[in-house]
Amino acid sequence: MYDMKHAPTFDHSVMRPDILGAEFLGEGTNFALFSDHATKVELCLFDDSGQQELHRLELPEMEGGIWFGYLPGVMPGQVYGYRVHGPYEPEQGHRFNPNKLLLDPYARELRGQIQWDDALHGYQVGEDDLSFDTRDSAAFMPKAVVVDAKFDWDTDRAIRTPWQNSVIYEAHVKGLTQMHPGVPEGDRGTFRGLGSDAVIEHLQRIGALAIELLPIHAFANDRFLGEKGLSNYWGYSTLAFFAPHAPYLKSGQIREVKEAIRKLHKAGIEVILDVVYNHTAEGNELGQTMSLRGIDNASYYLLSPDNPRHGFDTTGTGNTLNVAHPMVLRMVMDSLRYWVEAMHVDGFRFDLASTLGRETQGFERDGSFFNAIRQDPVLSGVKLIAEPWDIGEGGYQVGGYRWPFREWNDKFRDDTRAFWRRDPGLLPALSERLAGSPVQFNHSHRPATSSVNFVAAHDGFTLWDTVSYNDKHNDANGEDNRDGHDHNLSDNLGAEGATDEPGIIAARIRRVRAMLATVLLSQGVPMILAGDDFGNTQDGNNNAYCQDNAISWLEWDKAREEVLLAVQALSAFRQDVSLSQSRFGVAPADADDRHPVMEWLHPRGGAMEDGDWQDGELRCFALQQALPDGKNVLIVVNAGEDAEFALPEGEWVLRIDTSADEVAQDRPLSGTVPVPWQTVMALVR
């Protein structure tokens, strides 16, 4: 490693503008940063602690807005940052301030945490944002670290689980592991805990074939939350798109992420990352200058065309990343490819994906970002999931994405909750959800696996809280219970919150099992929120984004075995009968050898008639599916009181009964059979 007592010298014969970030090339490191409007870029080298700046070197070359230089002898472990010179003209969108140390947007590993201080602002706090602050921010900033990408992946390779087989488990690295008794105490809250035998065994037990992790990219713990004694638990405030969040690393080294992914892959479990490329942690024009704002605000962010002093905010966070810019798009694409090629992740869920499709005329399903991914030989082959909305005009786009994207389907969540709450007139809506929501997704050659079906996700009530609370209880968030939405479609079934009443507990278990069965027995891709598989509660908090504590952490010692066994049985049945299909179902009149044939049945026997669909009090019906492999599956749902159902002719075998103590069944049935209240039954012929 280079002796940092003396300033290293750039080698002009080796330096490269085509590889952005800090790339170790075997005997030295190439540094490259894009800034179209800068006049000078300085590379700052720090000691191992990141506290002392040792050398400040001007990057010697610039081509196409990329500033670059190669330093021989600079090895992995070197701590660094940037200072970027240029015009400070906020009214023109330019906010260069070389007094502010800036994080490399391509940083692979970080050293240190943000220490909130007014010096992090490019302007003088207390004055307007047209003022200029001369204080050095380096002492308060995390720094980037040069890394060596070498890792022994052994025989690890992409699993590529077919969409129709996948069952997704949405989880938080810390929340999943922090209170798990089977995870070594020192590994809890980290990737080592995520890759522990105890966590993997649980995922295998419930049939999860993919784990979707809430943001693991390095993120900021927002200042306003820290001042209230809270923190950014969910992580939707990205600071660096290539680096993992340092507190999730026990050793601080990125190899821990690779080790966890390698173990999960050996267990047959894919890893999907929830990624936030729509905005960053820098906020609006009154926010901090920590990275992109100081590197080139006018290139990296969408600015108001009428007044570039202000950002164009479609995310509700103060800024919007300008992915329509070719170099910003390249940064996002480079980040995605890095996580696939270097870190071996299997897919991505895109937060507020509609923002990524915003062009000059609004949301474009054929926008530059989506088209770039669709043609990319690396990214087009991994799992891609859109959160198909943002808060901007025209942002709600459920069903509006092209293949190969899948989409979170909030219509499934709302209709399923309302149906099992016994709201009237929901049979037509639930029939759509059981069939894979064809109205939304059966177009543009999209498959029947386009809908990601869920009844609860990280944002909102847990499933257990959906049957335990009529109202949100976000008192711990410090906003007098004003935050979080009120459209919970919940029902406490007789008591608000926890209760010892056996009848209420039994009813809650019955309804939770029925809702989980709806998720796991519908066409599409099922997603289960971590903890919903065993009745986890957040005490009625439906916006626990700031609760890095027992409110959000899974309480494994309170797991309800009755719920867990139901999920296990439902997942096994789904795989055993190959229930999920890649093609949408057709009516019996259109039967062929490629599509499942679907028919809706009334409890009295025979097909549902037009008038039956308008019966607002009817809460029991069935979906009969003739699958292409010859199996016939009958899914009977009953959200009402005890009922009787006339089975189609033939010898049926009852395989699932969510009202029974043992959900998994193997019992022949024929004729008219009882269907208990709040029950899902699955039969095979």
Side-chain angles (χ1 to χ4, degrees):
M1 189 167 181
Y2 194 89
D3 179 6
M4 282 297 162
K5 292 181 180 179
H6 305 285
T9 303
F10 288 104
D11 184 343
H12 288 250
S13 68
V14 182
M15 59 184 64
R16 296 173 54 180
D18 59 311
I19 46 175
L20 290 164
E23 190 78 14
F24 176 60
L25 300 179
E27 297 181 355
T29 301
N30 191 82
F31 295 88
L33 181 76
F34 170 73
S35 178
D36 202 31
H37 297 96
T39 57
K40 181 171 71 172
V41 175
E42 293 176 308
L43 172 66
C44 303
L45 302 179
F46 288 80
D47 66 359
D48 287 346
S49 70
Q51 295 302 305
Q52 182 180 358
E53 185 176 334
L54 302 176
H55 302 291
R56 193 177 299 188
L57 309 168
E58 182 178 346
L59 290 179
E61 296 290 342
M62 190 274 283
E63 294 180 8
I66 297 175
W67 303 77
F68 61 102
Y70 173 84
L71 287 176
V74 171
M75 308 295 280
Q78 178 62 57
V79 182
Y80 72 98
Y82 288 110
R83 298 179 188 273
V84 181
H85 298 251
Y88 190 81
E89 300 171 351
E91 291 176 311
Q92 304 303 315
H94 301 308
R95 296 182 178 273
F96 294 98
N97 187 336
N99 300 295
K100 309 306 167 185
L101 188 80
L102 305 174
L103 188 65
D104 181 1
Y106 278 71
R108 265 64 164 181
E109 188 175 293
L110 303 188
R111 184 74 47 84
Q113 296 289 315
I114 298 173
Q115 303 297 318
W116 293 115
D117 189 272
D118 288 349
L120 292 170
H121 294 262
Y123 66 96
Q124 296 178 40
V125 175
E127 301 183 22
D128 66 31
D129 62 294
L130 300 179
S131 62
F132 187 80
D133 189 271
T134 59
R135 288 173 292 180
D136 190 343
S137 67
F140 311 104
M141 276 292 295
K143 284 81 177 177
V145 181
V146 178
V147 302
D148 187 348
K150 290 181 181 177
F151 181 77
D152 181 11
W153 282 103
D154 196 14
T155 58
D156 185 81
R157 59 185 179 83
I159 300 173
R160 297 290 191 270
T161 302
W163 276 109
Q164 60 266 30
N165 294 343
S166 190
V167 175
I168 299 173
Y169 194 71
E170 190 200 23
H172 186 285
V173 169
K174 186 172 185 179
L176 182 68
T177 62
Q178 187 67 22
M179 298 178 71
H180 198 305
V183 175
E185 189 170 349
D187 294 344
R188 295 175 186 175
T190 71
F191 273 93
R192 287 189 179 171
L194 180 70
S196 67
D197 291 342
V199 168
I200 289 174
E201 287 168 5
H202 178 77
L203 295 174
Q204 290 178 316
R205 179 183 180 186
I206 63 170
L209 294 177
I211 185 167
E212 181 178 305
L213 300 174
L214 268 69
I216 68 161
H217 288 172
F219 60 84
N221 278 311
D222 305 85
R223 186 175 187 175
F224 80 95
L225 289 174
E227 291 172 349
K228 295 195 297 183
L230 302 170
S231 64
N232 177 17
Y233 173 68
W234 285 350
Y236 291 94
S237 190
T238 307
L239 187 63
F241 296 114
F242 293 76
H245 192 53
Y248 296 163
L249 306 175
K250 183 177 180 180
S251 67
Q253 297 181 345
I254 62 173
R255 67 177 296 109
E256 289 183 33
V257 182
K258 298 178 180 180
E259 289 166 351
I261 292 173
R262 184 175 59 188
K263 284 196 67 175
L264 287 161
H265 281 181
K266 286 183 177 179
I269 299 166
E270 294 184 303
V271 178
I272 299 171
L273 302 185
D274 191 338
V275 289
V276 187
Y277 294 110
N278 55 76
H279 73 279
T280 74
E282 292 185 299
N284 63 17
E285 64 271 9
L286 299 179
Q288 295 78 24
T289 295
M290 299 183 291
S291 184
L292 303 182
R293 173 166 290 128
I295 295 170
D296 192 346
N297 186 65
S299 292
Y300 284 97
Y301 291 120
L302 276 178
L303 304 181
S304 169
D306 301 322
N307 187 355
R309 175 182 174 184
H310 305 287
F312 188 73
D313 181 16
T314 63
T315 65
T317 63
N319 66 60
T320 303
L321 210 60
N322 184 18
V323 292
H325 189 291
M327 292 303 292
V328 181
L329 177 60
R330 175 180 170 180
M331 177 184 70
V332 173
M333 298 293 288
D334 285 349
S335 170
L336 292 168
R337 280 190 293 263
Y338 171 78
W339 286 99
V340 172
E341 295 181 313
M343 306 298 282
H344 285 210
V345 305
D346 304 282
F348 305 95
R349 178 264 190 190
F350 295 91
D351 179 64
L352 300 182
S354 292
T355 294
L356 301 174
R358 288 196 175 274
E359 308 269 332
T360 56
Q361 301 300 315
F363 175 80
E364 293 286 347
R365 66 194 301 231
D366 292 316
S368 56
F369 172 77
F370 300 127
N371 283 343
I373 286 187
R374 292 182 71 203
Q375 63 79 43
D376 190 278
V378 174
L379 300 177
S380 60
V382 303
K383 287 185 166 59
L384 304 169
I385 303 170
E387 182 185 35
W389 50 76
D390 65 16
I391 67 168
E393 183 178 354
Y396 186 77
Q397 291 290 332
V398 172
Y401 290 73
R402 290 196 185 276
W403 180 90
F405 279 87
R406 271 63 177 177
E407 302 175 36
W408 272 26
N409 187 356
D410 63 332
K411 294 180 183 295
F412 185 100
R413 176 198 63 200
D414 292 353
D415 290 340
T416 300
R417 287 188 182 188
F419 176 81
W420 289 107
R421 195 174 66 169
R422 305 180 67 177
D423 290 7
L426 267 296
L427 260 66
L430 193 74
S431 70
E432 289 283 327
R433 308 308 155 222
L434 289 168
S437 299
V439 171
Q440 283 72 40
F441 299 106
N442 190 9
H443 61 81
S444 306
H445 307 297
R446 300 190 71 180
T449 54
S450 295
S451 174
V452 175
N453 301 328
F454 63 100
V455 285
H458 67 274
D459 185 2
F461 274 158
T462 68
L463 182 54
W464 189 259
D465 286 354
T466 301
V467 300
S468 303
Y469 294 89
N470 286 342
D471 304 298
K472 65 186 181 184
H473 295 266
N474 298 350
D475 305 287
N477 293 359
E479 299 183 44
D480 297 322
N481 203 33
R482 293 188 304 270
D483 64 306
H485 57 80
D486 296 310
H487 186 63
N488 296 299
L489 295 168
S490 60
D491 175 12
N492 67 23
L493 290 168
E496 188 73 357
T499 180
D500 294 327
E501 174 56 45
I504 294 176
I505 294 173
R508 289 175 177 176
I509 291 172
R510 179 80 69 93
R511 186 171 289 181
V512 161
R513 283 172 148 190
M515 286 198 281
L516 287 168
T518 308
V519 173
L520 285 160
L521 299 181
S522 292
Q523 294 300 313
V525 181
M527 185 184 80
I528 300 170
L529 173 65
D532 280 358
D533 48 321
F534 57 77
N536 187 65
T537 179
Q538 290 180 172
D539 300 326
N541 192 318
N542 75 350
N543 191 32
Y545 76 102
C546 56
Q547 300 296 334
D548 187 2
N549 50 50
I551 291 176
S552 297
W553 303 339
L554 302 192
E555 296 186 84
W556 294 90
D557 60 340
K558 296 181 180 179
R560 298 181 183 275
E561 195 73 7
E562 306 98 324
V563 178
L564 188 57
L565 289 172
V567 174
Q568 186 177 1
L570 287 161
S571 294
F573 173 78
R574 179 183 179 88
Q575 302 295 346
D576 182 51
V577 301
S578 301
L579 182 65
S580 181
Q581 298 289 307
S582 62
R583 295 178 183 269
F584 282 97
V586 296
D590 301 315
D592 61 30
D593 295 331
R594 300 173 301 158
H595 296 261
V597 178
M598 294 184 172
E599 187 174 11
W600 303 99
L601 305 179
H602 192 278
R604 64 172 176 261
M608 290 278 287
E609 299 175 356
D610 290 344
D612 298 328
W613 293 109
Q614 310 308 317
D615 184 353
E617 298 306 312
L618 181 61
R619 292 183 173 87
C620 181
F621 73 135
L623 168 61
Q624 182 177 346
Q625 302 175 80
L627 303 180
D629 65 358
K631 293 190 186 76
N632 278 268
V633 179
L634 185 69
I635 308 297
V636 183
V637 297
N638 179 23
E641 302 300 327
D642 291 348
E644 291 189 337
F645 196 96
L647 297 176
E649 291 185 4
E651 291 294 328
W652 293 88
V653 176
L654 177 65
R655 296 284 302 277
I656 295 290
D657 181 352
T658 61
S659 68
D661 291 339
E662 297 290 337
V663 172
Q665 299 278 304
D666 186 14
R667 184 156 51 97
L669 291 178
S670 61
T672 299
V673 298
V675 183
W677 58 278
Q678 298 274 294
T679 296
V680 176
M681 298 168 62
L683 303 93
V684 177
R685 184 180 64 190

